[in-house]
Every structure is written in C-alpha cells, then in structure tokens.
C-alpha cells in the first residue's frame, strides 16, 4: 500500500522573505554533497560546482530544502579540503567564486538553500596566516610552544623557533582561540581574550560575512567543539559560539549555524541551531546504523545496532539519548540525524543492502529530528571496501573513509553519468558491483528506494506533525518500533528480516480500525495488533 502526497515547495520570493532560521530549518530536509564525487561538469574526473548546478533539478525533484557542501575552498587537499588555504576563494578544482555564487542563486530559485562547511579550528600549513606566523614569533594566530609537549606538536617550518600544535593531521595547525585554564608549566597558553584569539574570532565573522553577503544561507561548522583548548566542560568554547550566534541574529537572522559537535545538549544551548548525532560522540547514531562492516570496524558497540537484519539490536539507547538531548535543548534548537556522512559508513554497508533501507528512511523522515541525507544514500549506494588511501581518507588499516566517498551513480553507463573522463581519472573508483544502483534506473521504477524517499520527504512536508514539531510517543520499542506523531499519525518500522508483531493498547488501539496508509509496505492492521513483514514499514493517518 502506498500513497503519493501532494507537496508544496517554497518559491524564490518566499525564500527571500524574512523568515527566521528557527522556522525554515525546523521544516528542512538536508542533503550533504561531497563536491569531489557528486558531478563533474568539465570532464577532469573530479566533481565541481558547475556539476552540482547541473543537478539542481534532481535535488528539487527529490524535495530537499538545503544542501551542505563539504569544504570547497582553496586547499592542498591533504585532508580532502579540510585543510583550508584560503577561506574566501573556491578551490580551482571546483571552479570559481562566481560559480559558487551562481549555484546559490540557481538553488534559491528552486527553493533550496546552500550551506558551506566552515573549518573553524585549524587551517592548512599553506594558509598565508600560518606562513606568516612561522616566521614571526610575535604572531599568535596559532598555538606555539618552545618545546614539543606531546605527539601533537610539530617543529616550526619557518625561521620562528619552537613547535606548533596540530588539530588533526600535522598539516592542520590549530588556530589559537585561547585556553580555558592557565598552567604555569605551559607558559605559551593564552587566555581566550588575548590578541590572537580575538583576531581569530573576528576572522570567523569576516568569513561568514563574505559568504552570507553572496547568497550562502549558513554553515556547518567542522569540529565545532575543538576551538578553545583545555576546556573540559566546553564552557569557554560555548561562550565563543554564543557570542557569534548573537552577532548572526543581529546581522543575518535567516542564517543557519549547524555544529559538527555530536552533543546537541551542549552545542545547541551554546548557540547552534542544530547539531548532529555523530559516530564519534556517544553511541546514539551507532546504536541505530553501525553494523561494524565499514569504517567503524573497531568495537564501538557492545551489541548489534537496531537496524540489524537479524533483529538482535535495541532502539532503547537511541531513544534515551534523544530524550536526554531534547529535554536539555527545551525547544531552543534541534537534533539532526544523518543517514551517514563523509567520515562514516553508508547505510548500505557490508551485509545491509539497499532493499533493507525502506524502514531506515521511514524512521529518518518521520522522527522529530532534522534529517540529513548523504548524497547517494537515497539510491542505496554502498560503502565500497578495499579502496586506497585518498587525500587522507585512511585513519587506520580498518578505518578508510574513501569507501563512503565514491562517485555518485547517476545512470548505468560506464562512467555512471558522473564524468566524461576515463574512469581511471575519477577522483575515486566507481563501485564495481554489477548491480550498483543509479538515479536513472530508480527514477523509472515506482517501487524503488529513491521514489520511496521522495514520497516520504513529500509526506513530511504535507503533514507537519511528521516533522520536528512536537514529540513522539513510543508505543512499542522492540521489533517493530511503533510510535505516534502528533495525535493522528502512526509510524511502524521493522528493520529485521523476519516478520514482527506488536499489540497496541489504550486509546490508540481503538483507533487502529481507522488507520489509513499514507505510505506502507507489508503492514497489516487487525484489531489492536500490527503485523509487519520483514523490512516492512508504514505511516498511517488515524481518525
């Protein structure tokens, strides 16, 4: 049983009307694009801005409201662009500033906002700021010491004596936002109000101003919790972002500020509009999706995830983390829930195949979080194992992020519609699987995962009670998961291979006889009981 709800997208004029971030982000479905791998317009084998612009009609058809681009700034690409050499210039491999501005304009005409990735905590060693600091002992834009105080300190590459602190890789020197605590044994520490930290806070405002004035709608902030050092409760880092949020509210009240922090209970009160549940903080995301078959092979969980085909997991850990976060946030912002991202395994990973993903998307698009779809997950692109290290993708022998960064599969041609270049010139190899999915094949198939995702996005838009407004009353937390949204919408998901049953009690049981399927597969309603086929799901309206 399925239905195709009506959908009304915002027009360009509606996007330009004053509308607070709180209102538009609450309704949004985000879509993350890894620029290197999405669409190549100039035939060099690497995705680019013009390629994204050419695919905007697809994103509009899909129904997403905002796209977030992984870093597209000038970079030596030692860490795939997360080592920025110039925040105000688009990397040559992607195009020009003019093309990025044109992308934002073309997207806005289709009711889609564009968010950029702001790498706030460090730059590339090739950034002019760092080159200057490496020769000037009086420059405090970065953190320097007179000795190597641990493994994350690297010798100066210039005439300046001493060592600089790295944030992630040695090619990523940590910008100086100060220390929350002084230490006599480390006299290089500076307070958060010293000249260097003040200059860096001002630089963040300047970068945001530059791009917001050119049509960008906000930022996802990389490693947002990492700025102030030795800040165990993140209080000083929180004050920094609270200050920036106040400035944004005054100057750009429609701009979104979304954290890569992984702890919404801390980051949202600190000033972010939303924060993701992530794989490296807590276990909420891992307890849903991580089957330990991709980049998270190290034992991150004590047991299987909930979306486990054998039905061995539990959703309780996610529910507890979500409830704790939202209780603390208290309506000041949102938890964002991604399918995956450039650092984490795709939904279709290892034994989990795309024909098992219907329940995952039914959950993602009806739970009261801001959903974020990683490019290609909507067609069930798989995590590709065994790829070589590419631009810093391999963190350990069993932790290679390249498998989640392969080219978008647009059609069934030899190059998958990604590029006209010879496949050996592609940024990363295509998925070699003979049955790899494609947008073209799935658009033509009304029963495909892609068309299901499109219908679910439209359903969320047509029925606001399925979005971030209000909570979710969980009626059954086993297999299947059953919950009530608002007062009139029942959602049922069964991520396991075997059928599942749930008895619904109380007032909802009396209303089951009125259940009308808005989008359903393999769900039967009889009396007060729900029977769900393996990998079944359903969204029902109750009278």
């Amino acid at each position: 049983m399925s239905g195709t709800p009506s959908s009304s997208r915002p027009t360009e004029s509606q996007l330009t009307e004053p509308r607070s971030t709180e209102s538009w982000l609450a309704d949004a479905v985000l879509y993350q694009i890894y620029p290197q791998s999405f669409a190549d317009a100039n035939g060099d084998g690497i995705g680019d801005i013009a390629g994204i612009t050419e695919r905007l009609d697809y994103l509009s058809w899909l129904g997403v409201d905002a796209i977030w681009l992984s870093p597209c700034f000038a970079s030596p690409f030692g860490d795939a662009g997360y080592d920025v050499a110039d925040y105000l210039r688009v990397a040559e491999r992607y195009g020009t500033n003019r093309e990025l501005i044109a992308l934002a304009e073309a997207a806005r005409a289709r009711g889609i906002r564009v968010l950029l990735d702001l790498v706030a905590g460090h730059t590339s060693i090739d950034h002019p700021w760092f080159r200057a600091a490496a020769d000037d002992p009086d420059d405090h834009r970065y953190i320097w010491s007179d000795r190597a105080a641990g493994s994350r300190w690297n010798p100066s590459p210039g005439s300046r004596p001493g060592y600089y602190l790295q944030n992630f890789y040695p090619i990523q020197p940590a910008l100086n936002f100060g220390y929350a605590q002084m230490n006599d044994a480390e006299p290089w520490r500076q307070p958060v109000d010293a000249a260097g930290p003040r200059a860096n806070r001002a630089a963040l405002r300047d970068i945001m101003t530059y791009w917001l004035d050119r049509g960008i709608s906000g930022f996802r902030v990389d490693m947002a919790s990492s700025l102030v050092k030795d800040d165990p409760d993140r209080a000083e880092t929180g004050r920094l972002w609270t200050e920036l949020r106040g400035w944004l509210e005054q100057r750009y009240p429609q701009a979104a500020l979304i954290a890569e922090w992984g702890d919404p209970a801390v980051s949202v009160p600190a000033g972010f509009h939303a924060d993701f549940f992530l794989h490296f903080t807590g276990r909420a995301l891992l307890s849903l999706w991580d089957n330990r078959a991709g980049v998270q092979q190290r034992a991150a969980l004590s047991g299987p995830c909930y979306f486990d085909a054998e039905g061995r997991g539990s959703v309780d850990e996610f529910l507890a983390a979500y409830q704790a976060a939202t209780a603390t946030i208290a309506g000041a912002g949102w938890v964002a829930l991604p399918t995956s991202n450039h650092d984490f395994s795709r939904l279709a990973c290892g034994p989990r195949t795309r024909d098992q993903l219907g329940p995952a998307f039914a959950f993602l698009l009806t739970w009261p979080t801001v959903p974020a779809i990683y490019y290609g997950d909507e067609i069930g692109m798989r995590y590709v194992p065994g790829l070589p290290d590419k631009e810093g993708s391999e963190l350990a022998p069993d932790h290679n992020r390249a498998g989640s960064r392969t080219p978008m599969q647009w059609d069934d041609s030899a190059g998958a519609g990604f590029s006209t270049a010879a496949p050996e010139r592609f940024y990363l190899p295509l998925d070699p699987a003979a049955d790899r999915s494609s947008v073209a094949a799935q658009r033509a198939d009304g029963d495909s995962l892609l068309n299901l995702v499109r219908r679910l996005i439209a359903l969320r838009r047509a029925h606001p009670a399925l979005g971030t407004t209000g909570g979710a009353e969980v009626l059954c937390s086993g297999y299947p998961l059953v919950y009530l949204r608002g007062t009139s919408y029942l959602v049922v998901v069964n991520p396991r291979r075997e059928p599942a049953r749930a008895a619904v009690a109380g007032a909802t049981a009396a209303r089951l006889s009125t259940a009308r399927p808005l989008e359903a597969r393999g769900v039967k309603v009889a009396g007060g009981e729900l029977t769900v086929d393996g990998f079944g799901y359903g969204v029902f309206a109750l009278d």
Side-chain angles (χ1 to χ4, degrees):
M1 296 179 290
S2 65
T4 305
S6 61
S7 172
S8 59
R9 296 185 52 74
T11 64
E12 181 177 14
S13 62
Q14 288 172 324
L15 280 184
T16 55
E17 291 173 359
R19 189 181 180 205
S20 70
T21 306
E22 284 84 355
S23 59
W24 76 254
L25 188 57
D27 299 333
V29 174
L30 307 180
Y31 188 92
Q32 182 191 352
I33 291 175
Y34 194 67
Q36 296 96 315
S37 297
F38 193 65
D40 170 24
N42 66 3
D44 66 356
I46 300 175
D48 46 43
I49 300 297
I52 298 170
T53 303
E54 290 177 356
R55 297 295 183 172
L56 283 174
D57 284 343
Y58 164 74
L59 296 173
S60 178
W61 171 85
L62 182 59
V64 301
D65 303 281
I67 56 176
W68 148 38
L69 308 183
S70 291
C72 56
F73 305 125
S75 170
F77 292 96
D79 186 21
Y82 283 90
D83 47 330
V84 177
D86 187 344
Y87 291 98
L88 305 185
R89 180 166 58 90
V90 169
E92 185 176 352
R93 63 158 57 166
Y94 297 137
T96 65
N97 286 24
R98 186 182 298 275
E99 286 177 307
L100 180 55
I101 294 166
L103 167 64
E105 292 173 351
R108 185 168 291 269
R110 293 164 173 81
I112 299 172
R113 290 172 167 84
V114 176
L115 309 179
L116 298 183
D117 207 311
L118 177 60
V119 184
H122 55 259
T123 68
S124 164
I125 55 173
D126 289 347
H127 197 290
W129 294 346
F130 186 73
R131 289 178 173 175
D135 289 325
D136 183 0
D138 295 322
D139 187 314
H140 298 292
R141 296 294 293 270
Y142 298 85
I143 300 174
W144 295 85
S145 75
D146 58 358
R147 57 187 172 83
S151 61
R152 296 174 61 233
W153 293 87
N154 303 279
S156 170
S159 61
R160 178 181 192 157
Y163 299 78
Y164 69 89
L165 179 68
Q166 71 186 57
N167 239 10
F168 194 64
Y169 289 132
I171 58 172
Q172 294 163 318
L175 285 163
N176 181 18
F177 290 94
Y179 279 77
Q181 303 176 91
M182 297 298 100
N183 183 338
D184 290 343
E186 297 183 352
W188 62 82
R189 294 189 179 204
Q190 294 188 337
V192 296
D193 59 354
R198 289 202 311 271
N200 286 329
R201 290 201 302 273
L204 288 181
R205 292 193 295 271
D206 291 344
I207 295 164
M208 291 180 182
T209 295
Y210 182 88
W211 291 112
L212 292 170
D213 284 348
R214 286 159 178 77
I216 296 303
S217 292
F219 303 91
R220 174 267 194 188
V221 181
D222 179 68
M223 293 180 66
S225 65
S226 72
L227 274 58
V228 177
K229 304 305 183 187
D230 198 5
D231 188 16
D233 60 0
R234 302 293 191 264
E236 288 296 342
T237 302
R239 276 190 272 273
L240 182 155
W241 289 115
T242 299
E243 175 188 304
L244 275 170
R245 170 67 179 275
W247 169 79
L248 272 180
E249 292 290 346
Q250 292 294 319
R251 290 283 303 275
Y252 303 97
Q254 298 177 62
L257 196 61
I258 303 175
E260 185 201 33
W261 192 305
D263 191 354
V266 175
S267 57
V268 171
F272 285 93
H273 294 99
D275 183 18
F276 297 94
F277 276 149
L278 291 169
H279 56 286
F280 58 76
T281 304
R283 305 202 308 174
L285 185 72
L286 297 173
S287 71
L288 285 179
W289 312 136
D290 184 27
N291 61 10
R292 287 180 275 180
V295 298
Q296 290 298 120
Q297 288 182 334
R298 288 165 292 182
L301 291 174
S302 58
C305 61
Y306 179 67
F307 282 81
D308 169 63
E310 305 310 314
R312 300 169 297 176
S314 169
V315 77
D316 291 344
E317 191 164 13
F318 170 83
L319 294 177
Y322 172 77
Q323 290 162 359
T326 53
T328 303
I329 291 170
W334 302 277
V335 176
L337 184 63
T339 56
S340 58
N341 60 39
H342 60 288
D343 288 332
F344 183 57
S345 303
R346 290 186 176 277
L347 286 178
C349 180
R352 187 190 296 129
T353 57
R354 64 178 176 268
D355 61 348
Q356 300 175 18
L357 301 187
F361 276 101
F363 174 75
L364 179 84
L365 292 165
T366 61
W367 192 258
T369 44
V370 175
I373 300 171
Y374 185 51
Y375 83 98
D377 279 353
E378 74 275 17
I379 59 170
M381 279 180 59
R382 73 180 187 114
Y383 172 85
V384 180
L387 295 181
D389 178 63
K390 180 70 173 183
E391 296 182 349
S393 65
E394 188 173 83
L395 303 182
D398 63 348
H399 194 118
N400 191 344
R401 300 172 291 174
S404 293
R405 301 175 176 182
T406 56
M408 181 68 171
Q409 297 156 196
W410 293 104
D411 60 35
D412 297 325
S413 65
F418 164 68
S419 174
T420 58
E424 60 267 20
R425 294 179 58 203
F426 283 14
Y427 174 75
L428 280 168
L430 283 166
D431 182 353
D435 65 342
R436 72 178 178 226
S437 56
S438 74
V439 170
Q442 292 203 15
R443 281 190 73 162
D445 178 2
D447 292 328
S448 68
L449 177 65
L450 174 60
N451 275 297
L452 169 64
V453 172
R454 181 180 186 243
R455 291 195 302 269
L456 286 167
I457 292 173
L459 196 66
R460 185 181 178 96
R461 178 170 294 113
H463 303 276
L466 295 174
T468 57
T469 303
E473 180 186 353
V474 176
L475 305 178
C476 175
S477 62
Y479 291 95
L481 173 64
V482 183
Y483 51 96
L484 197 63
R485 295 299 322 275
T487 59
S488 301
Y489 299 94
L490 187 75
V491 182
V492 185
V493 294
N494 179 25
R496 75 181 188 184
R497 182 174 288 106
E498 295 300 317
R501 295 175 180 270
V504 178
T508 304
R511 300 171 65 197
L512 280 185
S513 62
T514 71
R516 291 179 291 105
L518 301 176
E519 182 68 51
R521 175 190 175 277
V523 181
K524 297 182 178 65
V525 181
E529 187 173 78
L530 297 162
T531 303
V532 193
D533 290 349
F535 308 128
Y537 51 84
V539 184
F540 298 87
L542 302 179
D543 293 335

